[in-house]
Amino acid sequence: MSVAMSVAFQMPVRSAVAGALLLLVASPLALAADPSPAPAPAAPTALVEDVSDGVDGVQPMDYLGAGRTVTLKAGQTLTLSYLESCVNETITGGSVTVGARESAVQGGSIDRHTLPCDGGKLLLASNEAGKAGVTVFRSAPIALPGMKAPLPKPDLTLFKTHPVLILSAPGPVTIDRLDVQGIALSTVNVPGTTLDTAKSGAGLEPGGLYKIAAGQKSFVVKIDEKAAAGGGPALGRLIRF
């Protein structure tokens, strides 16, 4: 009788231990099989033109996505350019929430105006920047036999004659004039990842059409007929590879 009772009481204990071991083994698998995807980062909508020292997590030439919040202390400033709307903002103090076409600001002041820029093409280029591959955009005009090949359509139009070049790694940038024959290919060596050509020599020709390449990427770039020389905001003169 005592033996039978001993067996009867031991069986549930063994089952409980086995169940616990099975749960421990299965738990990592269950966690690994969690189908919930990580949230995708917001697509870039704004370019940081300038920012005061001491503002956390933001640097000049960063892209920011809609919904990003930046906190500014009293006296700190943040200058943003919106890629689609071509809106340029200088914000002083307060809480800044990045939008699709302009910022929402609480507790601060904002100076907002519109600059000439290539809008949607800048937005597309920002999404492609940094990705591996060859030419970001492809223009492939077809010439009939015996006819001169037409010029390619521009991927970007710049509204200043001095581009701002943003590279993924230091290296040479080649500039090839497409609309005028007999002009030699020129090369600009970029020692870092950012070069403002307004600070380093002659600019491009208003109305000119150029192929500008860095590494395996290139853009066909049109310089607006009324493009002015000099620096200023990167919006309207930015080429980001």
Side-chain angles (χ1 to χ4, degrees):
M1 183 68 178
S2 60
V3 174
M5 289 183 64
S6 174
V7 172
F9 280 105
Q10 288 177 8
M11 288 298 291
V13 173
R14 291 179 179 175
S15 298
V17 172
L21 290 173
L22 181 60
L23 181 61
L24 289 173
V25 172
S27 295
L29 296 176
L31 291 173
D34 183 359
S36 302
T45 60
L47 172 73
V48 178
E49 296 273 7
D50 197 13
V51 63
S52 294
D53 293 337
V55 178
D56 291 338
V58 182
Q59 296 180 352
M61 298 297 112
D62 280 352
Y63 282 139
L64 303 182
R68 175 75 179 270
T69 299
V70 179
T71 301
L72 302 175
K73 297 177 181 178
Q76 288 183 327
T77 62
L78 172 66
T79 301
L80 297 177
S81 288
Y82 276 84
L83 303 173
E84 183 175 9
S85 63
C86 301
V87 165
N88 179 261
E89 303 173 336
T90 298
I91 303 154
T92 304
S95 176
V96 183
T97 301
V98 177
R101 300 177 64 84
E102 64 181 35
S103 302
V105 180
Q106 293 183 339
S109 62
I110 183 168
D111 177 23
R112 179 183 289 136
H113 60 282
T114 302
L115 298 173
C117 87
D118 211 355
K121 288 185 178 180
L122 278 177
L123 191 63
L124 179 59
S126 71
N127 285 316
E128 293 293 336
K131 294 182 180 178
V134 292
T135 306
V136 175
F137 303 101
R138 295 181 183 273
S139 299
I142 299 174
L144 297 175
M147 295 181 62
K148 184 179 178 181
L151 293 172
K153 294 181 179 180
D155 301 314
L156 293 172
T157 298
L158 303 190
F159 295 86
K160 286 285 189 77
T161 61
H162 290 79
V164 174
L165 305 173
I166 308 294
L167 280 64
S168 58
V173 175
T174 60
I175 301 173
D176 187 13
R177 184 77 184 261
L178 301 179
D179 59 324
V180 177
Q181 298 294 320
I183 297 181
L185 183 79
S186 62
T187 301
V188 177
N189 289 308
V190 182
T193 57
T194 302
L195 179 67
D196 185 348
T197 62
K199 302 175 182 178
S200 59
L204 305 179
E205 190 73 23
L209 187 69
Y210 299 83
K211 180 180 178 181
I212 302 180
Q216 292 184 315
K217 291 190 173 182
S218 66
F219 291 93
V220 175
V221 176
K222 173 76 173 180
I223 309 301
D224 187 75
E225 300 279 354
K226 299 180 180 179
L235 186 71
R237 61 191 190 101
L238 178 68
I239 304 176
R240 189 161 194 156
F241 295 94

